Amino acid sequence: MSFNISVSPHIRLPFDAKSIMWVVVLALLFPAAAGVYFFGLPALVLIVFTTLVAVITEAVCQWLAKRPITAADGSAVVTGLLLALILPPTFPLWMAAIGAVFAIGIVKVLFGGLGFNIFNPALAARAFLLASWPVAMTTWIRPFDAVTTATPLFLVNKMHQAAPGYWDLFIGNRAGSLGETSVLAILIGALVLLLTRVIDWPAPAAFIGSVALFSWLLGHDPWFAIMSGGLMIGAFFMATDYVTAPVTTKGRFIFGLGCGIMTVLIRYFGGFPEGVNYSILFMNILTPLIDRYARPKLFGGR
Amino acid sequence: MSLWKSFNQGIIKENPVLRLMIGLCPVLAVSNNAINALGMSVAVAFVLICSNAVVAMIRKTTPDEIRIPIFIIVISTFVTISDYVMNAFTPDLYAALGVFVPLIVVNCIILGRAEAFAYRNPVLNSILDGVGMSLGFALALISIGVIREVLGAGSVFGIALFNPAVAATIMVLPPGAFITIGVLMAALNKFENKVQ
Amino acid sequence: MLGRNYLGAGENVGKIFKLGIILAVFCVISAGGLAIVYMYTQPKIVLNSQLALEGSKKAVLPPSGKGQAIAVSPRGYGGPIEMLVGVDPVGKVSGVKILSQRETPGLGANIVKPKFLDQFKGKSLKDPLEPKKDIDAITGATISSRAVCVGVKEALRKAK
């Protein structure tokens, strides 16, 4: 039996850290299933393989550091699964393995393990892979027939071509990362997390809302802006991370707003077609600062 | 201080880059391949040994109050000499090292050794300290350069080892420098702890 | 050491003067030394840069040596791409050389490769000179590839 000692107020949730992780895994299975449906068997292989490598890496690192092995607590599963979902569907397995090792070994374990990492491990690994193998990381395929093509964001914002229809964007019938394409599947997963109160609304709402608002102000189609790229999966599954995002409602709102502004800046004024990845990583750095600014006032304090 | 110790301490025990953590700016910037690392090491060694020697020579006649300006004059003289010589005889290397040759003048290793060692020790010890520190600097810089070039470009000293398309480009970009230097520092600390 | 009689009272004027003289002596010695090194290295440095420029010109011009070598610097992904374009007397590209660039290593930096640059040989203003039309862009580096195309076009226009 273990006793947890902490100062008040105590927030009570129906779950402990371990079962929260498995709820997140459950929610992630919806976009994962959509990815397998659209991109076929290679997508399934990539998901299973990346997740396995992430879990094994965590176990090996903890064994090397002579610490208790907690690789089965679900957090490594979440990282591996998330990483696979933000990779191109045909990404080479050995590169994905290096990405998973980097995510767990460098970004998570070296910074102290679960709860101490500064950056979202999956996103940091994606940035690492993008800088390492830019060609493989930007080779996209069309759903079903696997013909190489560009993503809608790239075509519209950098090549000034017509956007695909809203329905295709919504169900996920477009080129993109494995699990980012289907807005529908991500929303179902997000609904699971919101209903079980594993995540709350401020960060995703501020993130998606600000991208829509600023896109509209800059003369772009706001519906296209929020349904393309990795915005949905980033807003619901990464900007809500317990470890790397702020803890208070106000802080989470600021976090989401910052992510939205950075995303818009990168998409319309930067060299990359998509900016969700870097915007969340950038805001991860600011999280301690936001937490300090948005700290709730002590009762009776000024 | 014994001559051997003057020479020896800079190589591993007080390695300027991996232990003292000084002079990191050029280390991070020019360690993207082994040849640049080697060129920078030679330039730093020349400036460090010469400035250590001259500072030790003039240390009895230099007034305390203006010792820092005098160190800077001595160092910048040797930096400018190496700048001219490299530009004249190794133009390719000069182009690759870019602004970092003139910046040796503000490299903390050089001013640091002048102030902490050469100003207080005889000429021979100071030269040996310069040689040892240069070797330590070269050891660290070239190790980082080789690791980054192999992993990031698939070659070493410009000789191709494997298909560069397979190499992790991030290693020759700035993040690769930070990752490599961090891992090397950790490894050296682990090794030193074991020895003790 | 530090703090001993710095710029205290009037008695220090003489001392400041003395220190100034010592510093000046060091400067003179340093300047003299540098002048000698400069004398020996400067001709070589000038020669090097001339040789480099002539070598680049020779590389882009047709074997006859006739035509113009035009320097342009289109905006690439990581800043201006300094390039030299050789144009022969009938207005066709005879060669392209990248003098300096800051494109992404492993990606845009591949524009320096002959496999990419040789495509421009023989092109004139009549050609579209665009990636995916008559030029094979470097995989994943559309912006860098397009910048080189823009530079070649600009040089051809200047050559007229």
Side-chain angles (χ1 to χ4, degrees):
Chain A
M1 179 147 187
S2 67
F3 293 98
N4 296 314
I5 301 169
S6 66
V7 291
S8 62
H10 303 281
I11 301 167
R12 291 227 163 256
L13 282 173
F15 314 107
D16 58 9
K18 205 167 161 181
S19 47
I20 284 175
M21 286 301 172
W22 293 110
V23 175
V24 177
V25 170
L26 175 76
L28 280 172
L29 288 181
F30 292 98
V36 174
Y37 172 71
F38 284 112
F39 300 111
L41 192 64
L44 181 65
V45 175
L46 183 63
I47 292 171
V48 174
F49 180 75
T50 311
T51 311
L52 267 179
V53 174
V55 175
I56 293 169
T57 307
E58 175 135 308
V60 169
C61 286
Q62 288 173 333
W63 177 71
L64 283 178
K66 300 186 182 75
R67 291 187 173 197
I69 293 174
T70 58
D73 66 1
S75 68
V77 177
V78 169
T79 297
L81 199 53
L82 262 182
L83 177 61
L85 294 184
I86 52 177
L87 294 176
T90 52
F91 198 63
L93 290 181
W94 68 272
M95 291 183 189
I98 293 178
V101 170
F102 182 84
I104 299 290
I106 306 266
V107 187
K108 190 176 169 194
V109 173
L110 274 191
F111 281 85
L114 182 64
F116 296 97
N117 47 309
I118 301 167
F119 297 104
N120 184 316
L123 280 178
R126 189 183 188 279
F128 175 87
L129 292 172
L130 184 60
S132 289
W133 296 284
V135 177
M137 279 298 284
T138 48
T139 304
W140 311 103
I141 56 165
R142 230 160 45 188
F144 304 119
D145 60 2
V147 173
T148 317
T149 180
T151 61
L153 260 185
F154 183 78
L155 291 174
V156 172
N157 286 346
K158 304 287 165 200
M159 311 293 280
H160 306 288
Q161 292 182 10
Y166 288 152
W167 176 249
D168 281 342
L169 284 173
F170 184 68
I171 62 162
N173 188 13
R174 64 167 171 99
S177 296
L178 210 169
E180 74 173 18
T181 59
S182 176
V183 175
L184 177 67
I186 295 167
L187 285 180
I188 297 173
L191 205 61
V192 170
L193 295 184
L194 284 167
L195 289 179
T196 51
R197 293 179 51 198
V198 168
I199 64 169
D200 55 6
W201 58 270
F207 195 170
I208 297 170
S210 57
V211 168
L213 176 69
F214 290 113
S215 296
W216 178 70
L217 287 177
L218 289 164
H220 297 271
D221 178 0
W223 289 108
F224 174 71
I226 62 172
M227 288 200 291
S228 57
L231 178 61
M232 283 292 166
I233 195 165
F236 286 111
F237 289 96
M238 290 153 186
T240 53
D241 186 10
Y242 282 12
V243 179
T244 58
V247 290
T248 61
T249 301
K250 189 172 157 195
R252 286 175 179 173
F253 190 82
I254 298 170
F255 185 89
L257 189 66
C259 288
I261 292 171
M262 288 294 294
T263 300
V264 165
L265 286 176
I266 296 174
R267 275 192 188 176
Y268 303 127
F269 303 103
F272 287 104
E274 174 60 309
V276 167
N277 187 347
Y278 293 113
S279 71
I280 302 176
L281 284 176
F282 181 80
M283 293 307 288
N284 282 165
I285 310 173
L286 296 183
T287 293
L289 199 68
I290 297 173
D291 265 337
R292 171 174 290 203
Y293 169 73
R295 197 185 320 187
K297 285 198 180 82
L298 290 175
F299 183 69
R302 289 165 193 259
Chain B
M1 190 181 274
S2 78
L3 290 178
W4 171 246
K5 205 181 161 211
S6 306
F7 167 73
N8 190 32
Q9 64 175 1
I11 300 177
I12 300 280
K13 203 165 146 266
E14 284 187 24
N15 186 297
V17 177
L18 298 175
R19 299 312 296 266
L20 305 183
M21 286 195 250
I22 52 177
L24 288 184
C25 169
V27 170
L28 294 169
V30 302
S31 61
N32 54 352
N33 68 50
I35 290 178
N36 286 0
L38 182 64
M40 190 67 180
S41 302
V42 172
V44 165
F46 169 75
V47 175
L48 182 56
I49 295 168
C50 293
S51 75
N52 260 11
V54 172
V55 167
M57 265 180 237
I58 59 171
R59 73 185 199 279
K60 297 250 167 70
T61 50
T62 307
D64 261 353
E65 294 89 334
I66 52 165
R67 67 186 192 289
I68 300 287
I70 287 177
F71 294 165
I72 296 286
I73 292 170
V74 170
I75 295 167
S76 55
T77 306
F78 287 114
V79 170
T80 314
I81 290 174
S82 66
D83 189 74
Y84 286 162
V85 170
M86 285 175 90
N87 194 352
F89 298 104
T90 54
D92 290 340
L93 184 65
Y94 183 76
L97 295 183
V99 73
F100 292 98
V101 174
L103 279 182
I104 296 174
V105 90
V106 286
N107 188 327
C108 336
I109 295 177
I110 310 211
L111 187 61
R113 292 329 284 176
E115 166 74 7
F117 196 92
Y119 193 59
R120 292 150 222 279
N121 286 286
V123 177
L124 197 55
N125 288 62
S126 300
I127 291 176
L128 287 173
D129 176 76
V131 175
M133 283 288 161
S134 305
L135 281 176
F137 183 75
L139 187 71
L141 187 54
I142 295 171
S143 315
I144 299 167
V146 168
I147 293 172
R148 290 180 66 192
E149 191 183 346
V150 170
L151 296 181
S155 62
V156 62
F157 288 101
I159 304 159
L161 296 178
F162 53 86
N163 181 3
V166 175
T169 311
I170 195 171
M171 295 307 288
V172 295
L173 298 174
F178 286 100
I179 295 171
T180 312
I181 208 168
V183 170
L184 279 184
M185 272 176 196
L188 191 63
N189 281 348
K190 176 96 188 161
F191 170 76
E192 282 281 292
N193 285 347
K194 265 212 179 119
V195 169
Q196 284 160 15
Chain C
M1 292 269 302
L2 281 175
R4 191 184 69 192
N5 275 348
Y6 250 102
L7 300 174
E11 54 173 297
N12 279 335
V13 172
K15 179 149 195 207
I16 292 171
F17 195 69
K18 192 184 140 209
L19 292 180
I21 298 268
I22 295 176
L23 209 50
V25 169
F26 271 97
C27 289
V28 169
I29 297 172
S30 156
L34 284 180
I36 295 169
V37 178
Y38 184 80
M39 230 166 61
Y40 280 102
T41 53
Q42 196 57 19
K44 185 98 178 105
I45 293 171
V46 173
L47 192 70
N48 277 344
S49 64
Q50 275 174 355
L51 279 180
L53 190 66
E54 269 168 34
S56 317
K57 274 190 179 166
K58 210 176 220 170
V60 297
L61 286 177
S64 64
K66 282 178 189 157
Q68 297 163 270
I70 293 158
V72 284
S73 49
R75 209 168 71 116
Y77 184 81
I81 301 172
E82 308 276 345
M83 49 190 271
L84 203 60
V85 182
V87 184
D88 68 10
V90 292
K92 281 186 176 169
V93 175
S94 54
V96 181
K97 192 174 158 81
I98 308 288
L99 301 177
S100 78
Q101 50 85 20
R102 282 182 296 165
E103 305 304 287
T104 321
L107 201 62
N110 286 333
I111 53 169
V112 300
K113 293 204 171 155
K115 197 184 156 214
F116 175 70
L117 292 178
D118 285 349
Q119 301 180 80
F120 292 95
K121 275 185 189 163
K123 301 272 178 199
S124 70
L125 272 181
K126 284 174 209 146
D127 294 297
L129 278 170
E130 258 178 56
K132 286 180 185 165
K133 284 187 181 160
D134 55 337
I135 302 291
D136 286 330
I138 285 160
T139 320
T142 321
I143 296 172
S144 307
S145 310
R146 186 180 291 166
V148 176
C149 293
V150 168
V152 171
K153 255 189 215 170
E154 192 190 333
L156 283 171
R157 265 187 234 113
K158 275 189 185 167
K160 265 192 177 170

